[in-house]
Amino acid sequence: MPAERIQQVRESICKEAMTKEKLKDWKHLCSGNFVEAATQILMNGDQINVVQIGAHTGFEMNDPIASGLSELLDKVTEISMNNELRKQFHWTFVEPSPANFKRLATNVLTNSNICDMSSINAAVVSDLVKNPDEMIFYSIRDTIDPETGFDSLSNKKFPYWITQVSSFSKKSILRNKNQFVKRGLDINDYIVETNVSTVSFSDLMKEAMRTENNKNKKQEPLLVLIDTEGFDCAIIEGISPSSSFLPKYLVFEHKICKRKETFEHLQSMGYSYHTSGENTVAIRN
């Protein structure tokens, strides 16, 4: 694709990101040439892998990166006049909560026209965790709709994001106790403990990567998104600098982290990074 057409895609995706606060993660991705890289890869006939860890139900109103990826594919296929390029873009959604995963699987099927999509029902843990199998996972009971926040038990409406606080740590849910108190409800009546299957970061990548025509080719992900309510940094710190699955672009939530250790590890793996709000956008040099 000529440089001017790649620039067209960039301007379409990045122009708004430079001015809107809610798109600050996209601003950093754009500054790191993500749009140009993705566009060039697709036009070269190669494969792109994006893995979203802690995807909840997917395609949510507070997930601008997901909508931006969809817009990017729309623009590339429009300019290239080749809708088949979508088959080269592989997007894997990972979610441990059974209730959220059920809705996620439906949403992936509904949006399958965007690109090649798949979903995995598992919790991701650090490569440093020995023999991962099952762990207790805390989530909000399924009477609360994971997209609208409406609770069929109390007939009361919660913020749409309330079921996104699921975690290995009960504290992540209890931090939102006030949302239940002001509705006259006891949060403990809504916390569900479930034994969920776990998978290490590296094993997840082995399962998620798609290489299509060259099955023996080890392909690193272009973008990995992590949102695991407090365990993002543990996953990152467990990635070896020699890993075959170091993404070029990595976005994660740093609000519950020992930032110094995590950022030092990122640097040891060859990443520069930008923090904005609760998230960090890391780009491998």
Side-chain angles (χ1 to χ4, degrees):
M1 177 181 280
E4 61 269 20
R5 292 194 172 185
I6 294 179
Q7 187 62 27
Q8 277 183 270
V9 179
R10 175 186 168 81
E11 289 180 1
S12 175
I13 303 302
C14 297
K15 186 176 181 180
E16 190 178 18
M18 296 302 171
T19 58
K20 290 198 173 181
E21 179 67 15
K22 70 175 183 177
L23 298 176
K24 52 186 176 290
D25 293 338
W26 262 111
K27 178 180 179 179
H28 294 312
L29 287 172
C30 287
S31 297
N33 298 318
F34 172 81
V35 173
E36 292 92 328
T39 303
Q40 191 68 66
I41 290 169
L42 290 173
M43 293 307 300
N44 286 346
D46 291 326
Q47 314 295 315
I48 287 177
N49 281 286
V50 172
V51 181
Q52 190 166 349
I53 299 171
H56 194 239
T57 63
F59 309 98
E60 289 144 335
M61 63 181 75
N62 64 337
D63 186 1
I65 289 184
S67 59
L69 291 175
S70 300
E71 290 172 18
L72 188 154
L73 280 163
D74 287 343
K75 196 65 180 179
V76 171
T77 54
E78 173 193 331
I79 290 176
S80 67
M81 294 183 290
N82 182 5
N83 203 53
E84 292 297 300
L85 293 180
R86 294 179 184 274
K87 296 178 181 178
Q88 297 166 212
F89 194 103
H90 312 287
W91 193 345
T92 302
F93 299 82
V94 186
E95 171 59 36
S97 166
N100 292 342
F101 181 79
K102 183 177 180 181
R103 184 68 60 88
L104 171 64
T106 299
N107 287 341
V108 166
L109 184 62
T110 301
N111 291 279
S112 61
N113 62 308
I114 295 174
C115 63
D116 173 44
M117 295 183 177
S118 60
S119 53
I120 297 174
N121 188 198
V124 181
V125 296
S126 166
D127 285 348
L128 300 178
V129 175
K130 302 300 181 184
N131 302 317
D133 184 13
E134 288 189 348
M135 292 178 65
I136 294 177
F137 189 77
Y138 300 92
S139 57
I140 298 293
R141 66 186 300 171
D142 60 7
T143 60
I144 298 180
D145 188 282
E147 292 179 348
T148 67
F150 178 75
D151 176 28
S152 61
L153 188 64
S154 65
N155 289 323
K156 296 183 178 180
K157 182 80 178 292
F158 284 85
Y160 65 87
W161 48 260
I162 195 65
T163 60
Q164 295 180 20
V165 298
S166 301
S167 174
F168 285 130
S169 172
K170 195 174 183 178
K171 290 180 181 178
S172 293
I173 296 180
L174 292 175
R175 289 190 191 96
N176 299 279
K177 179 180 178 180
N178 189 52
Q179 292 292 339
F180 292 81
V181 171
K182 65 184 180 182
R183 291 170 174 80
L185 301 171
D186 184 347
I187 191 172
N188 292 294
D189 293 334
Y190 285 81
I191 297 177
V192 177
E193 296 183 17
T194 310
N195 286 324
V196 297
S197 298
T198 59
V199 61
S200 69
F201 175 83
S202 291
D203 284 344
L204 169 70
M205 291 298 136
K206 290 174 186 175
E207 181 178 353
M209 292 302 98
R210 301 288 185 271
T211 56
E212 294 305 301
N213 296 330
N214 188 350
K215 299 300 182 182
N216 295 318
K217 181 180 178 182
K218 289 184 177 180
Q219 186 164 356
E220 62 190 24
L222 180 65
L223 171 64
V224 171
L225 308 165
I226 306 178
D227 184 1
T228 58
E229 291 300 317
F231 290 85
D232 301 33
C233 293
I235 293 171
I236 291 165
E237 289 173 26
I239 302 173
S240 169
S242 62
S243 172
S244 301
F245 304 110
L246 294 179
K248 173 67 176 175
Y249 301 90
L250 174 63
V251 181
F252 65 96
E253 197 174 65
H254 61 233
K255 66 179 180 180
I256 311 175
C257 276
K258 293 180 179 178
R259 295 194 195 182
K260 183 174 182 292
E261 290 87 342
T262 303
F263 294 160
E264 284 178 352
H265 189 64
L266 281 172
Q267 290 176 323
S268 76
M269 294 189 291
Y271 287 91
S272 57
Y273 57 87
H274 307 273
T275 59
S276 54
E278 297 179 345
N279 289 344
T280 292
V281 177
I283 301 169
R284 189 155 58 88
N285 301 321

